[in-house]
Amino acid sequence: QLARLIAEADRIRPSMCGATAFNLQLKNNKGEIRPIFENDSAYDYTFLIFWDPECEHCEVLMKKLAEQPKWIKDKKIRLVAAAAIEGWENKSIPNPVENMEYYWATTVEETGIVFRNYFLGSTPEIFILDKQHRIKYKDLKEYDFEKAINNL
């Protein structure tokens, strides 16, 4: 049983607080495959959101972020949304929040990489990363991300 616990800890280690987040290579809203941590040197934090355009909780979160709260600008936060949805290659991808960068995993292989490296359970999943892409907070839900931001 101890071996099983150690194996489970090793499996989730890459997504634990303090770990350096995995730099996914996904399609952006222009259809280009790009690393998600590209061009982020002007920001102190990255707000990495894993979402599903058909999820009601995700819709609530995106509406909240669409209001562009003052703390996003004050804290120099980069907004990045990544969706792991198989079969969305030919669908119209919604972009509900202005100034947010969107990335898409649409194949079985891509979604597997996302889930393996971020140990996702359900959506939305919110990670807050520092300038060096270390995970400061994870598993945040839409109702407690503002509190976490205030503690940075």
Side-chain angles (χ1 to χ4, degrees):
Q1 187 166 359
L2 178 60
R4 193 182 72 191
L5 288 172
I6 291 170
E8 181 67 9
D10 286 341
R11 188 171 73 84
I12 65 172
R13 191 174 321 283
S15 70
M16 294 176 75
C17 289
T20 300
F22 184 76
N23 192 4
L24 297 165
Q25 302 253 348
L26 300 174
K27 284 186 195 114
N28 62 17
N29 18 356
K30 297 174 186 164
E32 306 163 324
I33 295 179
R34 309 294 307 168
I36 61 173
F37 298 146
E38 184 176 68
N39 303 320
D40 62 356
S41 61
Y43 299 95
D44 292 334
Y45 299 97
T46 297
F47 206 71
L48 179 57
I49 303 158
F50 292 96
W51 72 302
D52 179 339
E54 297 175 343
C55 158
E56 289 179 27
H57 293 287
C58 297
E59 188 177 320
V60 169
L61 171 65
M62 292 304 196
K63 283 182 182 175
K64 205 173 209 180
L65 290 174
E67 298 168 4
Q68 294 289 311
K70 185 178 178 346
W71 50 261
I72 289 176
K73 294 173 186 143
D74 290 349
K75 297 263 188 180
K76 292 186 178 177
I77 296 172
R78 177 177 178 237
L79 298 175
V80 176
I85 312 164
E86 293 171 31
W88 271 67
E89 303 94 350
N90 300 315
K91 289 189 180 182
S92 173
I93 305 296
N95 295 330
V97 181
E98 194 176 322
N99 299 323
M100 182 178 281
E101 298 166 47
Y102 294 90
Y103 293 85
W104 304 94
T106 56
T107 66
V108 173
E109 182 181 338
E110 289 171 345
T111 57
I113 290 169
V114 170
F115 282 88
R116 258 194 323 278
N117 287 285
Y118 283 93
F119 194 66
L120 301 177
S122 61
T123 56
E125 285 281 356
I126 303 167
F127 288 73
I128 298 176
L129 313 174
D130 67 12
K131 202 168 189 71
Q132 290 76 37
H133 309 127
R134 287 185 303 255
I135 300 170
K136 301 293 282 179
Y137 291 94
K138 66 177 262 185
D139 297 334
L140 294 172
K141 296 300 177 197
E142 67 273 12
Y143 43 81
D144 45 32
F145 65 83
E146 193 168 354
K147 195 184 311 177
I149 291 293
N150 290 330
N151 289 327
L152 292 174

